[in-house]
Amino acid sequence: MKLILRSLYNRVIRNKLLSQLKNVRIDASSVCQLDCPLCPSKKEIKSGIVGWGYLKFSDFKQFIDINSQISEIELSNWGEIFLNPELKEIIKYAYSRKINLFADNGVNFNSVSEEVLECLVKYGFKRIIISLDGANNNSYIKYRKRGNFDKVIKNIEKINFYKKKYKTELPQLTWKMILFGHNEDEANIAEKMAHNLEMNFTTSPNWVPSWSPLKGEKIKTDEPFDCSPPCSQLWLSPQINWDGKLLGCCANYWGDFGNVFKEGFEKCLNNEKYIYAKRMVMGKEKTRSDIPCSNCHHYQFQIIHSPIKIQDLL
């Protein structure tokens, strides 16, 4: 029994069997055209380790060709993926390699070319979560500054047109509405609009309750304020920055664990710093200042008191 547990522990702590890692996250664009008040993109992200930029098709192709075991990739993280000028080539190549693409971290969907809209449908992009915080432009732009609600709706309608043309249900679309004091009364209207557009609908709390605080005493949302921490991504779906930096998880913008485009994916996954980060969030090592996780509130307030357990990852 001890040998079995030790084997499981080694398999989880290290990624010796890279062929078993099917899912990754690669940020297609950290650039965003909006100016949402609570988003760190224009401050910490732009000037920090993540920086502003786009995933190059050449880097994407090389990564896929080398790591042929990959079958699913999440493309959205800090920015707006549709600002990537090479996104069409990325989608087409992923389709040719039978790789499922997702944008579950969310997009604002304001600026999408007709060509890319058709490409999403034609080449089987799996899922897109669209951030729409309101049921009209007046409430929408209070948070999604520089955005345009009507443009987003038109882009959704175009997607639906192409889905009918190609007789497919892909991509699956979800309307995600962050509830604020200025839009909470529109949730029911937004949900009806979503259903009319053949979209799923979900709500999320404002992660800084003091900004446009909710008026209702108890507002039910589909996500709790303390969502499950993304720490398990270190094992199950490692986050890669647009320029190849291994970030480990989608929340990290403090430091990296090497560059997978330059050093290789397996080498970065098995370096001392990345392995220490895993042991740290499992409560097996002390907090170390050079590990990006030490800056994260998920680690500070959740993981440090309830470490990741091996059985949760198997």
Side-chain angles (χ1 to χ4, degrees):
M1 185 64 179
K2 288 183 178 179
L3 289 175
I4 293 174
L5 287 175
R6 187 178 299 168
S7 176
L8 290 174
Y9 175 79
N10 288 334
R11 182 159 64 88
V12 172
I13 287 293
R14 299 181 66 86
N15 286 292
K16 290 181 178 179
L17 300 177
L18 188 63
S19 61
Q20 294 181 352
L21 186 58
K22 308 293 185 182
N23 305 335
V24 297
R25 312 166 70 90
I26 308 178
D27 198 354
S29 169
S30 63
V31 177
C32 185
Q33 76 277 50
L34 304 190
D35 191 20
C36 305
L38 303 179
C39 181
S41 289
K42 295 290 179 69
K43 301 173 184 177
E44 293 93 339
I45 299 302
K46 187 174 182 178
S47 60
I49 195 73
V50 172
W52 267 29
Y54 313 107
L55 171 65
K56 295 179 180 179
F57 171 67
S58 58
D59 288 333
F60 179 80
K61 182 179 183 301
Q62 182 183 48
F63 178 81
I64 295 306
D65 291 345
I66 294 173
N67 300 283
S68 58
Q69 81 284 355
I70 301 298
S71 61
E72 295 190 351
I73 299 177
E74 165 66 46
L75 285 180
S76 60
N77 195 30
W78 287 112
E80 175 65 3
I81 69 172
F82 297 108
L83 297 181
N84 186 321
E86 297 184 289
L87 185 62
K88 188 180 77 169
E89 287 72 24
I90 290 171
I91 295 172
K92 289 177 67 176
Y93 192 69
Y95 177 79
S96 73
R97 297 299 300 268
K98 298 181 180 179
I99 295 172
N100 296 324
L101 297 181
F102 305 89
D104 287 344
N105 258 26
V107 302
N108 65 58
F109 221 50
N110 274 265
S111 306
V112 193
S113 70
E114 187 84 25
E115 195 174 15
V116 170
L117 286 168
E118 183 174 9
C119 185
L120 290 167
V121 179
K122 186 176 180 180
Y123 298 107
F125 202 102
K126 296 300 178 182
R127 293 193 306 266
I128 303 174
I129 292 181
I130 301 173
S131 300
L132 272 168
D133 311 317
N136 58 69
N137 196 55
N138 288 334
S139 60
Y140 173 77
I141 61 173
K142 287 182 179 178
Y143 183 70
R144 302 288 167 180
K145 295 183 183 298
R146 298 181 185 171
N148 187 300
F149 180 87
D150 298 324
K151 277 187 178 181
V152 178
I153 297 299
K154 286 181 180 179
N155 286 332
I156 293 169
E157 290 172 341
K158 289 177 182 178
I159 281 281
N160 288 337
F161 166 79
Y162 285 116
K163 286 167 77 169
K164 290 178 181 177
K165 177 180 176 180
Y166 288 99
K167 298 179 181 179
T168 178
E169 296 182 355
L170 300 178
Q172 297 175 6
L173 303 179
T174 295
W175 180 318
K176 182 176 181 179
M177 180 177 178
I178 299 176
L179 295 181
F180 299 101
H182 62 264
N183 70 8
E184 63 186 275
D185 295 333
E186 299 176 6
N188 290 335
I189 300 172
E191 184 171 13
K192 290 178 182 178
M193 292 177 70
H195 290 163
N196 290 337
L197 289 166
E198 301 178 0
M199 302 175 71
N200 300 314
F201 181 80
T202 185
T203 56
S204 175
N206 171 13
W207 53 92
V208 182
S210 60
W211 195 91
S212 187
L214 296 172
K215 301 168 187 174
E217 292 184 8
K218 293 183 179 180
I219 300 295
K220 183 178 182 297
T221 61
D222 299 313
E223 294 180 6
F225 276 99
D226 295 318
C227 301
S228 298
C231 311
S232 61
Q233 291 171 11
L234 289 167
W235 289 267
L236 305 178
S237 184
Q239 177 70 57
I240 300 168
N241 200 38
W242 58 272
D243 58 357
K245 295 188 186 80
L246 179 60
L247 301 179
C249 81
C250 64
N252 174 26
Y253 58 89
W254 301 281
D256 66 88
F257 300 94
N259 192 301
V260 303
F261 295 162
K262 297 176 181 177
E263 303 168 48
F265 195 28
E266 186 170 9
K267 184 177 180 180
C268 291
L269 289 176
N270 285 317
N271 68 32
E272 184 275 337
K273 190 175 178 182
Y274 196 75
I275 292 172
Y276 192 96
K278 290 180 176 182
R279 291 180 57 84
M280 202 173 86
V281 301
M282 293 180 76
K284 296 185 177 295
E285 296 287 357
K286 295 180 180 180
T287 303
R288 207 169 85 183
S289 60
D290 67 319
I291 303 297
C293 313
S294 63
N295 298 288
C296 180
H297 76 276
H298 291 296
Y299 173 76
Q300 294 167 351
F301 298 110
Q302 294 183 48
I303 297 302
I304 202 168
H305 300 296
S306 181
I308 291 285
K309 297 177 181 178
I310 291 178
Q311 56 265 36
D312 296 333
L313 300 167
L314 299 176

